[in-house]
């Protein structure tokens, strides 16, 4: 009975003491901690306090009770600071969840091993370690390495094939040998059995697919890495295509993207070329693009947005988009109207048989995409030949809106100005338009940039020279060389145009996409400068300025009256931004804490060295007791300052 009572009293004493020590240490360090770390901090401090008390002895413990408490709190603070430095917040919860993640870790390790074997088998080991030759052998080595990269990506699977296909449009990042090889990437994927497709349809639609589909072709029209497409007919009679996501697509993509993130961090950390083109940022953009492709509702919204941006066109538009049956669209199922036709990459002889004008079709497609970019601000970001169809009525159809770019009004105007500057062969105007597009540094040498752009235009935009992908690559290199950064939405725009150039080249060999874009921008400007358009623009601007113009006379009168009576002054508010005030406040606090910690420690040492004052116990004087307490307080303050310094460094960007 007495033992039970003793354990009960110990328990109700232990819990509050542990909580007080943990909360006190947390408040002193300014941290937010979890339950596990708080319990460990309190228990360690209590254990240390018991050892300190035993070392003091029963006689001195009463006189040094305040020192005993202070040392216990100091142990709690030091333990919490060290534990946070060695095991950052979130790591303990990861350890707790580790058993549940064991299967995923094993699968990832197997995938790592598989990818490493693939890379070594295709001769990529030296490249991953950052090795490379220079001089005349560099070109031959790059060609061999590019072929190895393509073969390795094909063998690695769907996610890495998509990565290679995306990189094949980034002539601004990769040498020509790599771009040429990566454009050959193909990935043959066997179709999933009908039972898996039917299960996904039932799960997503919530009922038997026969409720919505009168007919459903079990053999897919196409099978991709993420989804496969079937032809069907609704119970209402419409012919449709149904895009169904593969059952294991998301788990495969999540696993490979996780590995890709880890690989990109290692590549950027250990290789110069990885740092040059920003391997981690590239992986982030690729992961975001894949995440959108895995949710077919996003594709449905993208199509609705593009349609709304171009709906002012009449029914005879040269480019068609399939209608979306939104009531049947879910995260893994997309239902679209059937567009009868053949893909552009298989329509070579059919165009001649029908007597269609290839140049007119290419120009119509380009103008339709440019109108999305420069007027609507929402555009198809992946117009490769497989996503373009030649329809039975002779028009073109655009499919697969899983990747869509968005560009705001300011950047659209800057893009139009850039095309007009190219059209007029004006390097000064081109420099101004380019600086509106990119993220610029404060110390940019605009004169040097204008001269570089003049040389660029003389090399690529003179009569008789047909612009190609090399022009886009040189422009991106020029931008990077002058310390400018291209925003993601502008990079997506140029990537879409580079992809479209491939479709144009397949349709009309030698098609000059830059000349056509220049002509489109000039024609668009002429329409904007027509009397009706100018009047509309002036009316819109006048309506926006009207409230300010009504207030302007009163403000001018106040200024002139203040000048007349000598009361005009300028008021400047320092530290008006709350972030600036918070920074200064924290700086003052840290400085004061450092000063107080040092002064307190100095006073403590002086007091401990004196023998004067009332004697409390044995040879312990009152001044020495105060010195012990001040020394403990100084240690706590110094620990707080040192922890604050290292914690702030850890939170700096890029660390």
């Amino acid at each position: 009975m007495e033992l039970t009572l003793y354990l009960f009293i110990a328990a109700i004493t232990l819990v509050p003491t542990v909580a007080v020590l943990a909360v006190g240490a947390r408040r002193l360090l300014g941290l937010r901690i979890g339950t596990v770390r708080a319990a460990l901090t309190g228990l360690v401090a209590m254990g240390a306090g018991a050892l300190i008390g035993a070392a003091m002895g029963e006689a001195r413990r009463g006189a040094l009770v305040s020192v005993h408490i202070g040392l216990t709190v100091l142990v709690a603070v030091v333990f919490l600071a060290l534990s946070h430095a060695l095991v950052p917040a979130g790591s303990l919860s990861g350890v707790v969840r580790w058993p549940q993640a064991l299967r995923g870790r094993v699968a990832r390790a197997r995938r790592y091993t598989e990818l490493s074997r693939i890379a070594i088998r295709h001769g990529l080991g030296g490249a991953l370690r950052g090795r490379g030759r220079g001089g005349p052998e560099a070109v031959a080595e790059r060609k061999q390495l590019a072929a190895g990269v393509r073969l390795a990506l094909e063998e690695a699977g769907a996610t890495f094939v998509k990565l290679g296909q995306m990189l094949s449009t980034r002539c601004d990042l990769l040498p020509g040998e790599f771009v040429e090889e990566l454009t050959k990437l193909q990935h043959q994927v066997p179709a999933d059995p009908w039972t898996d497709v039917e299960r996904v349809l039932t799960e997503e639609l919530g009922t038997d697919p026969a409720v919505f589909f009168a007919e459903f072709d079990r053999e897919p029209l196409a099978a991709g890495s993420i989804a496969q497409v079937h032809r069907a007919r609704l119970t209402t009679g419409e012919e449709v295509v149904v895009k169904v996501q593969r059952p294991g697509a998301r788990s495969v993509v999540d696993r490979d993207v996780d590995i890709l993130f880890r690989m990109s961090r290692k590549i950027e950390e250990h290789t110069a070329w990885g740092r040059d083109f920003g391997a981690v940022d590239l992986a982030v953009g690729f992961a975001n693009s894949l995440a959108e492709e895995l949710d077919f509702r996003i594709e449905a919204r993208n199509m609705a947005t593009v349609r709304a941006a171009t709906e002012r066109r009449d029914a005879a538009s040269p480019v068609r988009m399939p209608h979306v049956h939104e009531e049947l669209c879910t995260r893994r199922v997309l239902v679209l109207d059937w567009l009868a036709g053949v893909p552009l990459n298989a329509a070579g002889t059919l165009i001649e048989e029908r007597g269609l004008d290839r140049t007119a079709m290419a120009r119509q497609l380009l103008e339709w995409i440019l109108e999305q970019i420069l007027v609507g601000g929402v555009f198809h970001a992946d117009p490769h030949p497989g996503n373009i169809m030649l329809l039975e009525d002779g028009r073109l159809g655009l499919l697969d809106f899983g990747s869509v770019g968005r560009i705001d009004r300011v950047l659209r105007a800057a893009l139009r100005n850039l095309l007009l500057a190219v059209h007029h062969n004006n390097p000064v105007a081109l420099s101004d338009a380019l600086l509106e597009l990119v993220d610029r540094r404060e110390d940019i040498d605009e004169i040097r940039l204008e001269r570089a752009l003049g040389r660029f235009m003389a090399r690529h935009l003179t009569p008789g020279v047909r612009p190609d992908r090399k022009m886009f690559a040189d422009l991106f290199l020029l931008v990077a060389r002058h310390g400018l950064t291209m925003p993601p939405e502008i990079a997506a725009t140029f990537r879409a145009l580079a992809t479209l150039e491939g479709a144009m080249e397949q349709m009309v060999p030698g098609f000059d996409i830059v000349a056509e874009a220049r002509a489109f921008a000039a024609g668009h400007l002429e329409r904007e400068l027509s009397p009706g358009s100018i009047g509309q623009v002036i009316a819109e601007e006048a309506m926006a300025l009207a409230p300010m113009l009504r207030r302007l006379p009163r403000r001018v009168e106040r200024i002139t009256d203040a000048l007349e009576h000598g009361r005009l002054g300028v008021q400047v508010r320092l530290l008006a931004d709350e972030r600036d005030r918070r920074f200064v406040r924290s700086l003052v606090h840290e400085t004061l804490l450092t000063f107080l910690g040092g002064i307190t420690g100095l006073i403590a040492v002086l007091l401990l060295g004196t023998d004067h004052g009332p004697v409390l116990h044995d040879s312990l004087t009152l001044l020495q007791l105060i010195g012990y307490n001040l020394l403990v307080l100084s240690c706590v303050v110094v620990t707080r300052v040192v922890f604050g310094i290292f914690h702030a460094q850890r939170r700096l960007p890029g660390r």
Side-chain angles (χ1 to χ4, degrees):
M1 184 65 181
E2 291 182 359
L3 179 60
T4 304
L5 181 61
Y6 176 78
L7 292 176
F8 175 74
I9 295 174
I12 62 175
T13 305
L14 176 67
V15 174
T17 306
V18 168
V20 169
L21 288 171
V23 171
R26 180 186 71 82
R27 294 296 298 271
L28 286 170
L29 294 179
L31 282 178
R32 300 185 64 177
I33 58 177
T35 305
V36 175
R37 195 187 298 270
L40 287 175
T41 301
L43 290 172
V44 168
M46 281 196 66
L51 294 176
I52 292 170
M56 287 181 176
E58 186 68 29
R60 295 175 61 90
R61 193 183 309 159
L64 296 175
V65 62
S66 58
V67 178
H68 184 193
I69 295 173
L71 288 174
T72 304
V73 172
L74 177 61
V75 170
V77 171
V78 172
F79 175 82
L80 183 55
L82 290 176
S83 68
H84 189 273
L86 298 175
V87 187
S91 301
L92 291 177
S93 59
V95 173
V96 172
R97 292 192 302 267
W98 186 83
Q100 290 81 3
L102 180 60
R103 182 178 301 176
R105 292 174 183 271
V106 171
R108 188 169 62 208
R110 290 176 180 171
R111 184 61 167 160
Y112 266 130
T113 304
E114 180 185 0
L115 293 174
S116 300
R117 289 174 179 170
I118 292 173
I120 294 172
R121 185 160 52 247
H122 293 285
L124 305 183
L128 293 176
R129 289 189 292 270
R131 299 178 188 170
R133 299 179 183 177
E137 298 179 345
V139 176
E141 184 184 33
R142 283 202 303 270
K143 289 183 178 180
Q144 182 180 1
L145 182 61
V149 169
R150 176 180 63 82
L151 294 173
L153 291 175
E154 286 181 347
E155 188 175 346
T159 305
F160 292 91
V161 168
K162 284 188 170 292
L163 175 63
Q165 290 170 345
M166 184 268 288
L167 289 174
S168 69
T169 65
R170 297 303 302 268
C171 53
D172 57 311
L173 298 179
L174 298 179
E177 297 88 351
F178 286 86
V179 172
E180 183 179 353
E181 277 292 333
L182 293 180
T183 54
K184 305 175 185 177
L185 273 172
Q186 295 181 351
H187 189 54
Q188 302 299 328
V189 183
D192 282 338
W194 167 248
T195 53
D196 292 343
V197 175
E198 187 178 29
R199 186 178 72 253
V200 172
L201 286 170
T202 304
E203 291 174 356
E204 293 296 308
L205 298 177
T207 186
D208 188 347
V211 175
F212 301 101
F213 300 102
E215 297 178 8
F216 203 104
D217 190 352
R218 299 188 176 189
E219 292 297 322
L221 298 170
S225 54
I226 290 179
Q228 57 191 53
V229 179
H230 295 257
R231 187 172 181 177
R233 183 169 60 85
L234 298 177
T235 53
T236 52
E238 295 100 324
E239 297 288 335
V240 296
V241 291
V242 184
K243 186 176 179 181
V244 184
Q245 189 174 123
R246 291 177 176 271
R250 179 171 291 275
S251 60
V252 171
V253 168
D254 288 345
R255 181 198 62 189
D256 283 350
V257 165
D258 177 62
I259 291 175
L260 189 61
F261 272 129
R262 297 170 186 270
M263 293 175 61
S264 64
R265 284 195 290 268
K266 292 293 184 183
I267 289 173
E268 188 166 309
E269 181 180 353
H270 296 291
T271 65
W273 56 270
R275 289 187 293 272
D276 288 341
F277 69 76
V280 173
D281 291 339
L282 198 64
V284 170
F286 175 67
N288 292 337
S289 174
L290 273 183
E292 288 194 357
E293 289 192 41
L294 287 170
D295 191 343
F296 293 165
R297 295 169 299 184
I298 295 178
E299 182 173 350
R301 288 197 297 269
N302 289 342
M303 296 184 69
T305 304
V306 173
R307 185 183 298 278
T310 56
E311 64 183 358
R312 63 186 185 84
R313 286 178 171 268
D314 56 24
S317 170
V319 180
R320 286 186 58 193
M321 294 172 52
H323 172 72
V324 181
H325 294 265
E326 296 183 3
E327 69 280 2
L328 297 178
C329 293
T330 67
R331 184 173 60 87
R332 295 191 294 168
V333 173
L334 182 67
V335 181
L336 307 171
D337 276 345
W338 168 262
L339 293 182
V342 295
L344 185 62
N345 49 19
T349 58
L350 196 59
I351 295 177
E352 277 74 23
E353 292 175 2
R354 296 183 181 179
L356 301 175
D357 188 341
R358 289 176 173 268
T359 303
M361 292 171 60
R363 184 175 294 117
Q364 289 169 350
L365 178 60
L366 175 62
E367 290 180 355
W368 197 73
I369 295 291
L370 286 175
E371 184 165 347
Q372 293 178 28
I373 295 172
L374 298 176
V375 181
V378 183
F379 59 93
H380 194 300
D382 192 23
H384 64 77
N387 286 337
I388 303 170
M389 293 190 67
L390 176 63
L391 305 180
E392 291 182 349
D393 59 3
R395 290 189 288 173
L396 295 174
L398 202 58
L399 308 176
D400 194 359
F401 284 76
S403 179
V404 165
R406 293 175 174 82
I407 183 169
D408 61 43
R409 185 175 180 178
V410 175
L411 291 179
R412 292 203 302 271
L415 266 178
R416 288 196 294 268
N417 294 337
L418 185 142
L419 289 174
L420 288 172
V422 171
H423 181 69
H424 296 295
N425 201 18
N426 186 343
V428 177
L430 180 60
S431 174
D432 293 339
L434 191 62
L435 289 176
E436 292 178 9
L437 281 175
V438 300
D439 298 329
R440 56 179 293 176
R441 302 181 312 182
E442 293 295 331
D443 58 343
I444 183 70
D445 188 344
E446 296 190 22
I447 302 298
R448 183 166 166 264
L449 177 63
E450 289 175 7
R451 291 173 181 169
L453 288 172
R455 292 191 294 269
F456 167 81
M457 298 178 78
R459 185 165 58 252
H460 292 286
L461 300 172
T462 53
V465 178
R466 190 179 72 83
D468 54 10
R469 290 193 174 194
K470 183 69 165 53
M471 185 198 76
F472 289 105
D474 286 351
L475 180 60
F476 277 103
L477 288 174
L478 187 150
V479 167
R481 199 174 294 127
H482 285 79
L484 305 174
T485 305
M486 200 69 79
E489 51 267 49
I490 297 300
T493 303
F494 281 107
R495 185 165 63 247
L497 291 175
T499 304
L500 186 62
E501 184 202 16
M504 300 292 99
E505 182 69 23
Q506 187 167 336
M507 190 182 301
V508 183
F511 186 81
D512 192 342
I513 186 173
V514 175
E516 295 294 336
R518 291 160 59 180
F520 176 86
H524 180 73
L525 181 62
E526 290 178 2
R527 290 192 297 271
E528 284 190 340
L529 295 179
S530 64
S533 298
I534 291 177
Q536 182 180 357
V537 171
I538 292 175
E540 291 177 355
E541 294 295 333
M543 290 178 63
L545 291 174
M548 184 183 69
L549 293 174
R550 284 197 297 267
R551 294 191 299 269
L552 186 60
R554 294 195 299 273
R555 293 182 175 178
V556 172
E557 182 181 0
R558 292 174 186 171
I559 294 173
T560 55
D561 182 68
L563 279 172
E564 182 180 354
H565 294 86
R567 297 194 304 267
L568 183 64
V570 178
Q571 187 180 34
V572 179
R573 295 183 58 191
L574 295 175
L575 303 177
D577 194 326
E578 173 60 28
R579 291 172 297 180
D580 295 335
R581 294 197 297 272
R582 191 161 52 243
F583 170 74
V584 173
R585 192 183 303 120
S586 65
L587 185 63
V588 171
H589 288 173
E590 295 297 332
T591 304
L592 286 176
L593 279 176
T594 305
F595 177 76
L596 290 175
I599 291 296
T600 305
L602 180 61
I603 295 173
V605 172
L606 293 175
L607 291 176
L608 289 174
T610 182
D611 295 328
H612 303 292
V615 177
L616 299 178
H617 178 77
D618 293 341
S619 60
L620 179 67
T621 66
L622 177 61
L623 294 179
Q624 290 174 342
L625 176 62
I626 296 174
Y628 281 125
N629 284 281
L630 290 178
L631 185 60
V632 172
L633 178 61
S634 175
C635 291
V636 171
V637 172
V638 170
T639 303
R640 168 68 178 85
V641 171
V642 173
F643 175 79
I645 292 172
F646 286 99
H647 188 55
Q649 288 181 346
R650 174 173 290 179
R651 290 182 296 177
L652 285 176
R655 290 185 67 88

